[in-house]
Amino acid sequence: KTAFLLNVIRNVISGQGIPVLFFSLEQPLAQIYERTVQISTEEPGRRVEEGFLLEKAADTLHSLVSHFYKSLYVVDEDMLTYEELKEYIQVAARDKINQIPPLVCIDYLGRMRGGRGTAYEVTSELARLLKKLAKELDIAIIYLHQTSRMGKTGAEEISLDMARDSGVVEEAADFIIGMWRPDMNKPEFQESDEERIVIAVLKNRKGRLGKAEYKFKKTYLKIEEA
């Protein structure tokens, strides 16, 4: 899920040149940076780590990341409340970006801290608040969401009812995208560098539903058109 979101962010920044604020609630900044290097350079994680031990290589890697992710701002605080997340957006706008970031990405909703109640109730309230915030600031918010046990291994086709403790997520979101890797459990693809990834639009307030196959370069965490 994180790799997918970082691919989206790369395409948004390189295609539209807008700043993106990314809340990495599970992975620390160093891991996110390493993943952006992998996607930018198409080098496996091991080579990336080795490269940073060499000064010239490290400079080259950094310059490539700076090109593709030049306006990415990352917050790697875990278990943020909605109020803290909103405050970070305001601080970023005032001290870093000089504008409200047009795109805010959250990895992932389950790592946000809500009020009292069941997981279902907390998730429902967070979904409502994020919807309200997007409308209030006139921005786009993309947040990742885990599947429940109904999602099985990740190789099976995703449906709208597979989101974990989803509450009113399905109701609040304007768009819902599901992803799965149909080949991930097939022996012939275990050692392969590439796999299919299917991305489906499960909800769309503004148009059609549908799905498309993409190429997932596992070694580089890169998603491309098939």
Side-chain angles (χ1 to χ4, degrees), residues 12-226:
V12 167
I13 290 175
S14 61
Q16 301 179 42
I18 64 172
V20 178
L21 183 59
F22 177 42
F23 289 90
S24 179
L25 307 186
E26 185 177 35
Q27 297 184 32
L29 180 61
Q31 289 185 17
I32 295 300
Y33 184 67
E34 184 176 325
R35 286 179 173 222
T36 62
V37 174
Q38 284 183 257
I39 294 168
S40 300
T41 62
E42 294 199 5
E43 290 285 358
R46 186 192 73 259
R47 288 281 301 276
V48 169
E49 291 175 4
E50 291 170 352
F52 275 107
L53 300 176
L54 306 171
E55 189 174 342
K56 283 187 177 181
D59 290 342
T60 302
L61 293 172
H62 184 70
S63 64
L64 281 166
V65 174
S66 298
H67 174 71
F68 288 114
Y69 290 93
K70 58 186 175 183
S71 55
L72 173 62
Y73 300 84
V74 181
V75 177
D76 64 345
E77 295 285 340
D78 192 12
M79 299 305 289
L80 286 181
T81 65
Y82 167 77
E83 290 76 17
E84 290 168 336
L85 182 136
K86 187 176 180 180
E87 185 176 348
Y88 265 113
I89 292 174
Q90 294 166 343
V91 169
R94 184 183 67 237
D95 298 339
K96 294 287 185 181
I97 308 177
N98 299 319
Q99 69 176 100
I100 296 291
L103 175 60
V104 170
C105 299
I106 303 168
D107 182 13
Y108 57 100
L109 190 64
R111 300 297 299 185
M112 286 189 68
R113 185 156 45 92
R116 294 181 178 179
T118 65
Y120 180 94
E121 291 167 340
V122 169
T123 302
S124 298
E125 181 63 14
L126 288 171
R128 290 191 190 99
L129 288 171
L130 291 174
K131 172 80 169 185
K132 176 185 173 185
L133 183 63
K135 292 176 70 176
E136 178 185 321
L137 299 180
D138 191 24
I139 62 175
I141 297 179
I142 300 175
Y143 56 85
L144 300 182
H145 199 78
Q146 287 185 311
T147 57
S148 65
R149 290 180 181 177
M150 289 176 63
K152 298 182 182 178
T153 67
E156 292 79 17
E157 183 167 345
I158 296 293
S159 60
L160 202 56
D161 59 352
M162 289 181 177
R164 179 185 293 177
D165 301 318
S166 56
V168 295
V169 169
E170 294 94 335
E171 177 187 331
D174 288 329
F175 308 94
I176 297 179
I177 293 173
M179 295 178 295
W180 64 95
R181 293 161 57 190
D183 301 323
M184 67 180 295
N185 295 329
K186 298 176 181 177
E188 62 268 31
F189 285 95
Q190 295 296 318
E191 302 300 323
S192 172
D193 289 334
E194 291 185 5
E195 260 184 37
R196 289 181 299 155
I197 184 169
V198 182
I199 300 176
V201 180
L202 304 176
K203 178 182 177 181
N204 182 1
R205 287 193 192 275
K206 299 184 178 182
R208 297 183 301 167
L209 306 181
K211 60 187 176 183
E213 284 192 6
Y214 290 82
K215 183 166 57 179
F216 179 40
K217 295 184 173 181
K218 295 185 288 185
T219 311
Y220 319 128
L221 305 177
K222 194 169 185 180
I223 298 172
E224 296 180 340
E225 289 191 24

